[in-house]
């Protein structure tokens, strides 16, 4: 170590001015977005290597570059940047990236031929069309919020293969087709709101009349579903129940309308934990006998992952925690883990809850594969998820492309 402090005691110099290891030349360094107008139209070579470009479009702010600079900003910005990278890896993968497994070379160069698998019999073009199967679990507050529009975009464009949410996540989507949810304030007093017939979800307000409209819409449908059960032998599960509601609402602003139209399964193991449960309870007095089979749906949900055999891959996008998070992760346990995983949540792991658990805990259970590179970002999903989607699924010229018809 070279130092001008020759008069310092050696023990002090060692403690305070100990020599650093040399960082690799290509090590990423911290650099955020530069809002100042660039001196020239091109970024320096060091900026380009670091991935934190400062170029503007037409002299204004380049929001694509701003979002890309998250990766080298540090703290949760870097975690969000890593989530974006992981989702793009998820979108980029194709079965054609994997070697065919029909032959294996033994010692001495002799080939050992196996019975070809179904995937090995596909043409190169067919293999290039097979992509990651993406599971998305999200909490109910996200359809209450404006993240509903982001989820609707994903469902409309068939970008997610399997959804899972809670009862609130289902009903709030349909309720918004019938009436509006409003901006309120976290500090509004519950007692005052109760007297006014207003329900508070964080800083959102939902008039009680919205739930009355939901009841008026849902009750006749429950009568029809019971009639079909009794007369036609229709076997209802939570997912088929949700699909039926999606078709009945017939509203293009609805997440679950698009799921129904595009045959995207939606699982909700806690279907009764919300207004839908209230309606089913009330219906049991008026017209009892409707059966919704949860056991059938746990088979359906687990098969969504179990039947995706290696080398095919699955990916998890988990927004928030609770039952939706665990249901998607546990389904992937049936295939020995998801290959890609992104968690986005404000929950922490100090209390041992599954909601706050980091992805590495899921690795210990076999819900994420040993060689995966999962990422968790500690961020409110109303901020983080639209930003993530803007640089992944919705990125112009990005890695997601529609499947061939």
């Amino acid at each position: 170590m070279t130092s001008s402090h020759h008069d310092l005691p050696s023990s002090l110099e060692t403690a305070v001015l100990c020599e650093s290891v040399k960082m690799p030349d290509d090590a990423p360094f911290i650099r955020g977005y530069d809002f100042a107008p660039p001196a020239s139209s091109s970024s320096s070579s060091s900026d380009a290597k670091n991935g934190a470009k400062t170029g503007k479009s037409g002299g204004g702010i380049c929001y694509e570059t701003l979002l890309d600079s998250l990766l080298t900003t540090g703290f949760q910005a870097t975690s969000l940047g890593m989530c974006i990278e992981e989702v793009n890896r998820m979108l980029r993968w194709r079965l054609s990236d994997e070697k065919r497994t029909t032959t294996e070379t033994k010692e001495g160069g002799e080939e050992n031929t196996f019975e070809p698998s179904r995937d090995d019999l596909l043409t190169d073009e067919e293999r290039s069309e097979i992509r990651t199967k993406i599971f998305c679990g999200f909490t109910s507050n996200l359809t209450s919020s404006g993240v509903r529009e982001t989820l609707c975009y994903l469902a409309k464009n068939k970008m997610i293969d399997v959804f899972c949410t809670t009862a609130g996540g289902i009903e709030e989507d349909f309720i918004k087709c019938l009436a509006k949810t409003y901006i309120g304030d976290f500090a509004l007093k519950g007692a005052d709101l109760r007297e006014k017939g207003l329900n508070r979800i964080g800083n959102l307000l939902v008039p009680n009349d919205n739930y009355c409209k939901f009841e008026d819409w849902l009750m006749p449908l429950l009568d029809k579903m019971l009639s079909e059960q009794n007369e036609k032998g229709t076997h209802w599960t939570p997912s088929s129940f949700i699909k039926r509601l999606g078709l009945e609402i017939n509203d293009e602003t609805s997440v679950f309308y698009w799921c129904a139209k595009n045959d995207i399964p939606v699982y909700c193991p806690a279907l009764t934990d919300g207004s839908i449960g209230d309606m089913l309870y009330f219906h049991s007095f008026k017209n009892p006998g409707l059966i919704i089979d949860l056991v059938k749906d746990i088979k359906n949900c687990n098969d969504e992952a179990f039947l995706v055999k290696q080398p095919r891959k699955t990916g998890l996008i988990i927004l928030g925690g609770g039952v939706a998070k665990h249901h998607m992760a546990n389904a992937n346990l049936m295939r020995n883990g998801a290959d890609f995983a992104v968690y986005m949540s404000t929950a922490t792991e100090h209390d041992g809850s599954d909601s706050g658990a980091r992805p590495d805990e899921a690795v210990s259970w076999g819900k994420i594969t040993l060689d995966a590179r999962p990422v968790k970002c500690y961020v409110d999903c109303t901020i983080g998820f639209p930003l993530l989607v803007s640089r992944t699924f919705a990125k112009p010229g990005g890695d997601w492309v529609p499947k061939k018809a």
Side-chain angles (χ1 to χ4, degrees), residues 125-202:
E125 183 178 0
E126 288 170 331
R127 287 168 66 87
S128 70
E129 286 295 305
I130 294 172
R131 62 181 68 181
T132 305
K133 185 170 186 176
I134 300 177
F135 295 72
C136 180
F138 63 92
T139 47
S140 66
N141 54 334
L142 298 184
T143 48
S144 302
S145 76
V147 175
R148 174 181 182 248
E149 279 63 38
T150 304
L151 294 166
C152 191
Y153 167 80
L154 297 176
K156 180 178 180 179
N157 291 285
K158 305 179 185 179
M159 294 169 165
I160 301 295
D161 297 291
V162 182
F163 278 111
C164 181
T165 188
T166 58
I170 304 298
E171 65 208 22
E172 292 293 325
D173 176 67
F174 293 130
I175 287 169
K176 279 186 170 180
C177 297
L178 306 172
K180 290 181 173 61
T181 298
Y182 298 90
I183 291 290
D185 193 286
F186 286 102
L188 293 172
K189 292 186 178 297
D192 294 341
L193 293 174
R194 180 64 177 168
E195 290 179 355
K196 297 174 182 177
L198 298 173
N199 303 284
R200 182 168 69 81
I201 305 171

Side-chain angles (χ1 to χ4, degrees), residues 218 222 225-226 229 234-242 245 268-272 276-277 279-281 283 289-297:
L218 184 59
L222 296 180
M225 293 168 75
L226 176 59
Q229 173 188 292
T234 303
H235 188 168
W236 296 107
T237 64
S239 60
S240 65
F241 176 87
I242 294 162
L245 297 189
C268 185
L271 184 67
T272 56
I276 289 176
M279 300 305 112
L280 291 169
Y281 176 61
H283 188 260
L290 181 65
I291 298 170
I292 300 177
D293 185 353
L294 182 63
V295 176
K296 174 65 174 173
D297 246 14

Side-chain angles (χ1 to χ4, degrees), residues 88-103:
N88 280 327
R89 280 203 327 120
M90 195 184 298
L91 298 181
R92 197 176 302 129
W93 180 85
R94 296 292 185 273
L95 181 60
S96 53
D97 298 337
E98 307 297 320
K99 292 181 180 178
R100 294 179 186 268
T101 57
T102 52
T103 61

Side-chain angles (χ1 to χ4, degrees), residues 20-285:
S20 302
V21 298
K22 187 180 186 308
M23 296 295 290
D25 291 339
D26 60 350
F29 58 92
I30 294 299
R31 179 82 182 268
Y33 183 78
D34 184 1
F35 285 92
S40 64
S41 59
S42 62
S43 301
S44 69
S45 60
S46 64
D47 286 341
K49 179 183 286 188
N50 191 45
K53 299 176 183 177
T54 58
K56 314 295 192 296
S57 175
I61 297 170
C62 179
Y63 289 99
E64 292 85 358
T65 306
L66 172 60
L67 291 172
D68 290 345
S69 74
L70 293 174
L71 193 61
T72 56
T73 297
F75 307 133
Q76 293 311 302
T78 291
S79 294
L80 180 53
M82 291 171 67
C83 286
I84 290 169
E85 282 198 334
E86 182 68 0
V87 170
N88 280 327
R89 280 203 327 120
M90 195 184 298
L91 298 181
R92 197 176 302 129
W93 180 85
R94 296 292 185 273
L95 181 60
S96 53
D97 298 337
E98 307 297 320
K99 292 181 180 178
R100 294 179 186 268
T101 57
T102 52
T103 61
E104 181 181 87
T105 303
K106 294 180 180 179
E107 255 183 69
E110 182 186 352
E111 280 194 343
N112 185 16
T113 304
F114 294 92
E115 185 72 24
S117 70
R118 178 172 60 115
D119 284 343
D120 289 321
L121 296 174
L122 298 174
T123 66
D124 289 344
E125 183 178 0
E126 288 170 331
R127 287 168 66 87
S128 70
E129 286 295 305
I130 294 172
R131 62 181 68 181
T132 305
K133 185 170 186 176
I134 300 177
F135 295 72
C136 180
F138 63 92
T139 47
S140 66
N141 54 334
L142 298 184
T143 48
S144 302
S145 76
V147 175
R148 174 181 182 248
E149 279 63 38
T150 304
L151 294 166
C152 191
Y153 167 80
L154 297 176
K156 180 178 180 179
N157 291 285
K158 305 179 185 179
M159 294 169 165
I160 301 295
D161 297 291
V162 182
F163 278 111
C164 181
T165 188
T166 58
I170 304 298
E171 65 208 22
E172 292 293 325
D173 176 67
F174 293 130
I175 287 169
K176 279 186 170 180
C177 297
L178 306 172
K180 290 181 173 61
T181 298
Y182 298 90
I183 291 290
D185 193 286
F186 286 102
L188 293 172
K189 292 186 178 297
D192 294 341
L193 293 174
R194 180 64 177 168
E195 290 179 355
K196 297 174 182 177
L198 298 173
N199 303 284
R200 182 168 69 81
I201 305 171
N203 62 346
L204 315 181
L205 292 176
V206 187
N208 220 44
D209 289 348
N210 292 19
Y211 295 97
C212 297
K213 292 176 182 177
F214 181 58
E215 181 179 7
D216 292 342
W217 176 74
L218 184 59
M219 282 299 184
L221 293 180
L222 296 180
D223 288 337
K224 288 169 64 175
M225 293 168 75
L226 176 59
S227 176
E228 291 170 25
Q229 173 188 292
N230 294 336
E231 296 172 13
K232 300 178 182 179
T234 303
H235 188 168
W236 296 107
T237 64
S239 60
S240 65
F241 176 87
I242 294 162
K243 183 172 184 177
R244 178 60 174 274
L245 297 189
L247 294 173
E248 292 282 352
I249 199 68
N250 195 27
D251 187 322
E252 292 189 2
T253 69
S254 165
V255 177
F256 303 113
Y257 164 79
W258 286 111
C259 287
K261 187 176 175 67
N262 290 330
D263 289 320
I264 301 170
V266 182
Y267 295 101
C268 185
L271 184 67
T272 56
D273 187 31
S275 181
I276 289 176
D278 298 341
M279 300 305 112
L280 291 169
Y281 176 61
F282 298 157
H283 188 260
S284 71
F285 288 98

